[in-house]
Amino acid sequence: MRQTRKIAWLWALVACLLLGHNATLWLVQRIVPDTDIMALLPVQERDPVLQASFGHMVDAAQQRVLVLAGAAEWDDARRAADAYQGVLAARKDLFEATPINEQTQNDWLGLFQRHRLALLTAQQEQQLREQPSQFWLESALARLYAPFGGPKLGSWQDDPYGLFAGWVQERAQETPVRPRDGHLFVADAQRQYVLLPLTLKVPALSMTAQETVLPVLRQAEAAARKAAPQVELIQAGVILHAASASAQASGEMSTIGIGSLVGIIVLTWFTFRSLKPIALILLSIGIGCLGALSVCWLLFGRIHLLTLVFGASLIGVAQDYGIYFLCNRLAADEKLDSVTLLKRLLPGLGLTLLAAVIGYTGLALTPFPGLRQMAVFSALGLVFAWLTVVCWFPALINGRTLRSGWLVKHYGAALARWPVWRASRGTLAVAVLFAVLAAWGISRLGANDDIRLLQNPPKHLVADQLKLGKLLDAPTPVQYFLVRGESAEQVLQREEALKARLDGHVAARRLTGYQAMSNWVPSARTQAARRTLVEQKLLADDGPLQGIAGQAGEDRQWIAATRKALLAAGQPLLLDEFLASPASEPWRHLWLGERQGAYASIVALRGMDNKAAQQVMLAADGLQGVQWVDKVAEISLVLGRYRADMGWVVLGAYAVVFMLLLHRYRSRTWRVLAPTALASIATLAMLGFASQNLQLFHVLALMLLLGVGVDYGIFMQEHPERSDRTPWLAVGMSAANTILSFGLLGLSATPALQAFGLTMLLGTTLVWLLVPCFAIVKEIRNV
């Protein structure tokens, strides 16, 4: 007992350290659970440039919030937008907005006007090669004399042929948004909208941002509706999805955690009719959660919110060890001290912990950081709960403390009426029928590895995102072309080769357009060729300038001055010069710059659906340094591959557990594993009959079911006499709490967690029903 007390005090010191560390994390450091769904996804280590390109696209959108205020009348939309903007203007610490005025537009044009001679559209370049001098003479005179000769940027002498104006007009076609009355304007058939592009000054995924930004946005929305009651407000941004995910996960965590605790308390009360067992079980669970959180934070430096949601279901498993000890303490002779009892139970308890940890190890074998964190959190939670039972329970409880409750008598009596496994014709017939039904059900299983199952955003956010994307003709951040080269010049040249192919898809209406850095900064080779073409066709001595001067009554001095002014604007536009200017701000995310000793850029696509993507992706075929990227399909493919691989890992885990148990149970080892194996097969069949599509999280649940189910098999096999109802009581209580916790997880709005919870719910129920059928051993080796 003296040694037991020392161990108990030592574990009390560990518990105090865990409590102090958790208090520091939550109260002093004020840790914020991670809500970024990207943190759950696998890192593409094989191609860091590809991974960087995706992160580049995501980061560009992460700090943006786009708001559209729309109404049938422009004045109503503008009034609502002004009211919305007025609220945000008071919070310059949170939001940054770019003013839209004449000076902004002049600053934007200034850079390109200095290099306008080399900026041509593909159509203009073709016309320069094909059209005679007379065509350009008439074009220039039309612009000079016609009141509607096309858009004019600066004086006529700066752009007599309208080449620069045509290039600017083509650039403007990359977005349907236009300036109007000091606002950004876009419209559909029903409404006219004011676009308010906002940039957050605080990290969008931080809890602080969600707590401060969202109330301001709601206040701004109320102000807009007050100014124009009929206004339609469309809001989109990563912060809105992050806040929704946080609220959903927090609610689910509370539901699962509180539901599991209530179930444990009620069942424990009806079993022992005492508060002390309840307190002890809750204490072991609490130490388990504190230890898991502390060590996970030290290992990973952060904790994902879905880890806490998943960890809430841990409550239904961590209580197994405490319940097993208490049930055996209840059935044991009062003269038997708890230390001796623990020594008898320790081999079985050790095997149950090991089997459960092996189950969670399956999660850690995936390439998903989020799943690894869930696995580590859960495995550590079980280890700390197990150590709490071993270190404290013998010192804190004795036989006189426990009394049998109503549940012990009535539930224990059910074991006598339970069917048992016997080698007979009836048993063979049942086995054949089960095999046929299981094979039929499993054959009906489909597969769905879509990464979007990891999240389930509210429908109104999805609707707003889709409508905003359609109105703004915005490109998707997950499907694009990645272009690489040994130099920036080579990347721009390869972009131009790719765009020549994409133009055919735009003509076929598979795309509405594309965004590329070479749209704004053509390659030096292209700029030099275009400048030479302009000089030869438009500025030569025998070119159209002579005719223009004659028609306009100008002399040779005018011709020389005009030629000199145009040639002065023929210096090549440099990429670094463009990136340093305010005009590049909306397009900087397209340029990755130097990565891994090479240069890379992104060509983003507008107006493409999934059906068209199958044809558009072929544009990269045969183009060196050009790669099609479909991040959703890529990660979904990884999910599918790991779903298949984890199926083999589950089978391997059964083999490992069998070998671990073989030394203790010898020829009866199959009886420990049979209930879990049959339950897993039956669960798959039931999912097939329910027309469910198999995904990675179903398979991962089967991995965890192995750890949980083997616990029940060990409990029953540790007590050879069927008349001993102690293990049956422990299995019943443990299974009931596990079913409750994972059943609540099955109610999750996140499809992946729902699939996990449903599989565990069905599997655990079946293991509980099957395990007494195999518990008919006569003796057991003592180790």
Side-chain angles (χ1 to χ4, degrees), residues 8 53 73 127 184 202 237 282 294 376 419 470 554 651 725 755:
S53 71
E73 300 296 330
Q127 288 176 333
L184 292 177
V202 291
L282 295 182
S294 287
V376 173
K470 186 176 181 180
E554 300 290 351
L651 294 178
R725 298 171 182 176

Side-chain angles (χ1 to χ4, degrees), residues 215-230:
V216 177
L217 292 179
R218 285 192 289 267
Q219 184 181 353
E221 182 179 353
R225 296 192 185 281
K226 184 177 180 180
Q230 66 275 34

Side-chain angles (χ1 to χ4, degrees), residues 80-100:
D82 288 341
Y84 195 105
Q85 187 69 53
V87 174
L88 302 186
R91 296 304 305 269
K92 296 186 182 297
D93 58 320
L94 298 178
F95 301 96
E96 179 181 349
T98 303
I100 307 300

Side-chain angles (χ1 to χ4, degrees), residues 377-435:
F377 184 95
S378 301
L380 287 170
L382 294 183
V383 169
F384 278 95
W386 187 89
L387 287 172
T388 302
V389 171
V390 171
C391 295
W392 278 356
F393 277 38
L396 296 176
I397 200 164
N398 54 57
R400 297 176 182 176
T401 306
L402 302 179
R403 295 177 295 170
S404 297
W406 172 87
L407 188 63
V408 175
K409 178 181 179 181
H410 292 80
Y411 174 75
L415 184 62
R417 298 187 294 272
W418 218 266
V420 296
W421 172 271
R422 291 189 177 90
S424 64
R425 291 182 179 180
T427 302
L428 180 61
V430 171
V432 171
L433 179 62
F434 174 81

Side-chain angles (χ1 to χ4, degrees), residues 332-559:
D333 191 330
E334 292 185 5
K335 297 180 180 179
L336 179 68
D337 65 272
S338 293
V339 175
T340 304
L341 175 64
L342 177 65
K343 290 180 179 179
R344 292 181 182 178
L345 300 179
L346 204 53
L349 279 173
L351 288 173
T352 59
L353 175 65
L354 189 58
V357 170
I358 290 174
Y360 280 111
T361 302
L363 290 173
L365 294 176
T366 66
F368 300 88
L371 292 182
R372 288 198 199 113
Q373 193 181 94
M374 292 180 191
V376 173
F377 184 95
S378 301
L380 287 170
L382 294 183
V383 169
F384 278 95
W386 187 89
L387 287 172
T388 302
V389 171
V390 171
C391 295
W392 278 356
F393 277 38
L396 296 176
I397 200 164
N398 54 57
R400 297 176 182 176
T401 306
L402 302 179
R403 295 177 295 170
S404 297
W406 172 87
L407 188 63
V408 175
K409 178 181 179 181
H410 292 80
Y411 174 75
L415 184 62
R417 298 187 294 272
W418 218 266
V420 296
W421 172 271
R422 291 189 177 90
S424 64
R425 291 182 179 180
T427 302
L428 180 61
V430 171
V432 171
L433 179 62
F434 174 81
V436 171
L437 291 176
W440 183 20
I442 293 174
S443 68
R444 292 169 53 90
L445 279 172
N448 185 0
D449 301 305
D450 196 332
I451 186 60
R452 284 165 286 204
L453 294 174
L454 281 177
Q455 57 181 346
N456 185 32
K459 292 182 179 179
H460 73 276
L461 286 181
V462 175
D464 279 1
Q465 189 78 45
L466 291 174
K467 187 166 186 178
L468 187 141
K470 186 176 181 180
L471 280 167
L472 302 185
D473 195 18
T476 170
V478 294
Q479 291 176 311
Y480 53 87
F481 288 99
L482 177 63
V483 184
R484 307 186 221 202
E486 296 178 1
S487 65
E489 171 66 13
Q490 189 177 60
V491 171
L492 294 175
Q493 290 180 18
R494 288 175 174 176
E495 275 192 11
E496 290 165 349
L498 173 63
K499 292 191 305 182
R501 295 187 179 185
L502 293 178
D503 286 337
H505 293 291
V506 174
R509 297 186 177 181
R510 299 187 190 99
L511 299 173
T512 59
Y514 49 79
Q515 296 175 353
M517 189 57 66
S518 56
N519 286 353
W520 301 91
V521 185
S523 66
R525 182 180 67 180
T526 297
Q527 291 190 59
R530 287 175 174 175
R531 171 177 171 155
T532 301
L533 188 60
V534 170
E535 290 178 2
Q536 292 175 350
K537 292 286 187 175
L538 303 180
L539 303 182
D541 291 338
D542 58 348
L545 274 180
Q546 300 284 349
I548 295 172
Q551 292 286 340
E554 300 290 351
D555 55 16
R556 287 184 174 274
Q557 187 177 0
W558 178 88
I559 295 174

